[in-house]
Amino acid sequence: MSGLPLVGGRGPGDILAWRPQGPVSVARYCADALALAAALPPGRYIVNLCEDRYHYAVLLAACALSGRVSLQPSSQSEATLRQLACTYAGALAVTDASTPLPPELPAYPLPSLQELAGEACADVPHIAQDTVVAILFTSGSTGMPQPHAKTWGKLVANGRAEAQALGLLDAPHTLVGTVPAQHSYGFESTFLLALHGGCSFWSGKPFYPQDLADALAAVPQPAMVVTTPYHLASVLASGVALPPVARWLSATAPLDMPLAAQAEAATGAPVHEIYGSTESSQLATRRTTAGAEWTLMPGVRLEQEGDTTWASGGHVEGRVALADILALHEDGRFTLQGRHADMVNLAGKRTSLAYLNHQLRTIPGVQDGAFFLPDEEEAARAGRLVAFAVAPAGERAALLAALRSRIDPIFMPRPLVLVEAIARNATGKIARSTLEALHERWIRNAR
């Protein structure tokens, strides 16, 4: 198949990235990628653990240009990295920080790009469309992370489709991401959107509200913050004054309309969401305050067979079954009804864990919380859900009373456990393994 450029629709002198050291042109980026490709040790698989977003972008391009595959775990836990080393023989982890690694996974510190630097590229290199350049992994929020291979042709189409759907092709923004580039959402919306959507990106990954303010102050306007509901809520609650934001983009979990409305009122910037998954790539967008309906990205099709919705067309790799329950509308839009794995059926009554979590987390005084459905055998034996809540000033009896007024009695947690914190990953999700560990510590061992 014919090749597609590493960076599309841009001239060599156009700015692709912004670093604390200054702007980086398309020509400089291509030269850095080619130089690193020549310097990498032999091997088929590279685990891209670079934290600096520009380092990440150069390494991924270097892999693609040299026939290597970039492995992108959304979690960097020891268990995840050990599993990668076991599954992908000879894999090498490239890092730009002191990331702790298991002994099974050899480390290769990223060389200094300044020392490798050659002449800026006059021509942008091309990559064959059917080349597998990256393998992304699910977050593990519903089980073990699963791999999904991505080809260059589909990735290029992905970046273009998102830019078109968000209206960025004619109005490029600087992308400031609070999410890691290794995660599918960060990969698409801070990397692909820059390479093939006409945007540029900030090399850092601000986590705390003040970090975000500093990043926005360091980049040109207009700027779009690529974030999550968890991070957005933290920024608004902090009271930190932000430089101008032209647009917010959120994903990884549905965004509550009141939170979106609060963000728009506080910053004057519209809040948009991306719907998709690692398996399917991004599929649709919406402006949260405009309603619950989602609009498909160009070329994407949805079909339903029974309770299962399948995505195909456009930049989707093949035909993918979605984990969510969707209601398709005649005008081509759709609404989310919940996740198949989220649905709970007790005594003939149905609800979703997402709904229960929302009711728990919006109780005054609750900082975080999650319901947990144990494995089927244990759930049948216990007959009940359990829940964990972070509420430093709250009392269990008062929280249960508030929850009882919000949900059907059959779904009341038995028990509700107050904990100091519930660990979330870099995209703000709670992995099932985290809830399993809490269940093991507080409930199973207490019997």
Side-chain angles (χ1 to χ4, degrees), residues 154-284:
K154 294 294 187 181
L155 293 179
V156 170
N158 189 322
R160 294 282 296 178
E162 181 176 7
Q164 183 176 340
L166 293 173
L168 298 177
L169 288 177
D170 298 322
H173 284 48
T174 307
L175 310 173
V176 177
T178 68
V179 290
Q182 287 81 0
H183 186 273
S184 58
Y185 167 47
F187 176 62
E188 293 164 341
S189 296
T190 65
F191 176 67
L192 297 181
L193 192 54
L195 262 63
H196 291 280
C199 296
S200 58
F201 66 89
W202 172 244
S203 63
K205 188 187 70 175
F207 182 82
Y208 296 106
Q210 187 58 54
D211 296 337
L212 178 59
D214 293 342
L216 287 168
V219 301
Q221 297 295 321
M224 181 170 77
V225 178
V226 180
T227 191
T228 69
Y230 178 75
H231 284 111
L232 181 56
S234 296
V235 169
L236 295 176
S238 72
V240 169
L242 296 178
V245 176
R247 185 182 304 207
W248 297 92
L249 187 66
S250 178
T252 71
L255 183 63
D256 293 334
M257 190 172 294
L259 180 60
Q262 181 187 355
E264 292 191 352
T267 65
V271 179
H272 294 262
E273 288 182 86
I274 293 286
Y275 170 76
S277 66
T278 305
E279 301 91 323
S280 66
S281 298
Q282 51 196 358
L283 300 174

Side-chain angles (χ1 to χ4, degrees), residues 126-181:
H126 284 54
I127 302 167
Q129 294 187 51
D130 59 352
T131 301
V132 174
V133 300
I135 297 178
L136 277 60
F137 295 81
T138 55
S139 65
S141 58
T142 58
M144 288 297 294
Q146 298 298 312
H148 295 275
K150 304 295 180 178
T151 60
W152 184 243
K154 294 294 187 181
L155 293 179
V156 170
N158 189 322
R160 294 282 296 178
E162 181 176 7
Q164 183 176 340
L166 293 173
L168 298 177
L169 288 177
D170 298 322
H173 284 48
T174 307
L175 310 173
V176 177
T178 68
V179 290

Side-chain angles (χ1 to χ4, degrees), residues 62-120:
C63 290
L65 292 169
S66 59
R68 297 174 174 90
V69 178
S70 180
L71 304 179
Q72 301 187 187
S74 59
S75 166
Q76 296 183 13
S77 69
E78 183 176 342
T80 297
L81 297 178
R82 183 176 288 115
Q83 183 62 42
L84 284 182
C86 178
T87 305
Y88 299 94
L92 187 72
V94 177
T95 66
D96 61 356
S98 55
T99 305
L101 300 174
E104 298 91 337
L105 186 61
Y108 181 76
L110 184 77
S112 167
L113 298 181
Q114 186 174 358
E115 294 179 5
L116 291 177
E119 293 295 325

